């Protein structure tokens, strides 16, 4: 049963190439979310420090952002740092917290040029000042872009997000701003950090882990899941197209809407 959940064949290049020409341009997932796992393991396999995996993982983001934009994906959410990641060794956390500014230094001009809107989902207040300043600049510089939304989940945890939404709604009912009958699924969705974004249609998780890890638990209620053994630094455009091809087979429209 477990094998049905994973896509071993994603490792065979010829299968991936076969899928290349089969994407239906009218059934590209509106929102793709990715848990980018396996960076440390990738480095360890090569006798490199873990940070080498993070650095290579960032290069993969650049490729997948470009491909997503080209394919017409509406929102690309990337799980870059969870609330649990603070438990990692301080030198690794310090390195990770420098990646946003490193990424944006080279990529922000291209993202602006490509009409991409950068968004952050998570608690920015706990980030180091240099990290927060870099992401806030990217948000401000791309605020008026109306192309693909590039949404980085940063210092994000789904259960914390839901607790804050419940508190927010409770306060509104207590203050008479809304009635208890208005507390419905739409009100909760709007109160989450992803408020305004459509729910993910497709979740991709790399490195063979088959779990959600406290990621978008409410928002992923109806998403298609695609798991692969491929480690994030080895993830390619072919793998991404394979995931979308599988998604399209599962949501085949047979001409319907
Ligand atoms: C703060 C943790 C972190 C880790 C990280 N990794 C490590 C995890 C997975 C692999 C990718 C490299 N990346 N890659 C890009 C960003 C980034 C975040 C926000 C932003 F606005 C622009 C870029 C990033 N952020």
């Amino acid at each position: 049963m477990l094998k049905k959940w994973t896509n071993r064949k994603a490792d065979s290049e010829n299968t991936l190439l076969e899928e290349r020409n089969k994407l239906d341009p009218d059934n590209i997932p509106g929102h793709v979310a990715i848990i980018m796992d396996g960076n440390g393991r990738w480095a360890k396999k090569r006798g490199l420090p873990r940070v080498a995996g993070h650095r290579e993982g960032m290069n993969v983001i650049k490729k997948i952002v470009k491909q997503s934009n080209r394919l017409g994906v509406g929102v690309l959410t990337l799980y870059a740092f969870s609330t649990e990641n603070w438990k990692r060794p301080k030198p690794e956390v310090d390195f990770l917290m420098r990646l946003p500014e490193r990424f944006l230094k080279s990529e922000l001009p291209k993202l602006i040029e490509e009409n991409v809107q950068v968004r952050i989902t998570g608690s920015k207040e706990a980030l180091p000042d240099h990290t927060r300043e870099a992401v806030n600049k990217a948000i401000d510089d791309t605020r008026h872009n109306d192309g693909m939304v590039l949404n980085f989940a940063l210092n994000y945890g789904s259960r914390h997000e839901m607790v804050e939404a419940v508190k927010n709604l409770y306060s509104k009912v207590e203050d008479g701003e809304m009635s208890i009958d208005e507390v419905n699924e739409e009100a909760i969705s709007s109160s989450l950090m992803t408020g305004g974004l459509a729910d993910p249609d497709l979740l991709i998780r790399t490195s063979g882990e088959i779990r959600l890890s406290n990621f978008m638990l409410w928002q992923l209620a109806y998403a298609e899941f695609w798991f692969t053994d491929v480690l994030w630094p080895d993830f390619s455009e072919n793998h991404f197209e394979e995931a979308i091809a599988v998604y399209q087979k599962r949501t085949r429209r047979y001409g319907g809407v």
Side-chain angles (χ1 to χ4, degrees), residues 54-69:
H54 298 322
R55 198 178 294 116
E56 184 57 28
M58 199 160 73
N59 292 330
V60 176
I61 290 181
K62 295 172 185 176
K63 291 189 287 185
I64 301 305
V65 166
K66 191 174 180 65
Q67 182 184 16
S68 296
N69 202 22

Side-chain angles (χ1 to χ4, degrees), residues 36 39 53-55 57-58 61 79-81 96-97 99-100 103-104 118 120 131 135 138 152 154 232:
M36 307 177 287
N39 303 283
H54 298 322
R55 198 178 294 116
M58 199 160 73
I61 290 181
Y79 200 9
F81 195 86
L96 288 168
M97 287 297 144
L99 291 183
F103 177 91
L104 293 167
V118 173
I120 299 295
T131 310
V135 301
F152 285 98
L154 212 45
W232 178 251

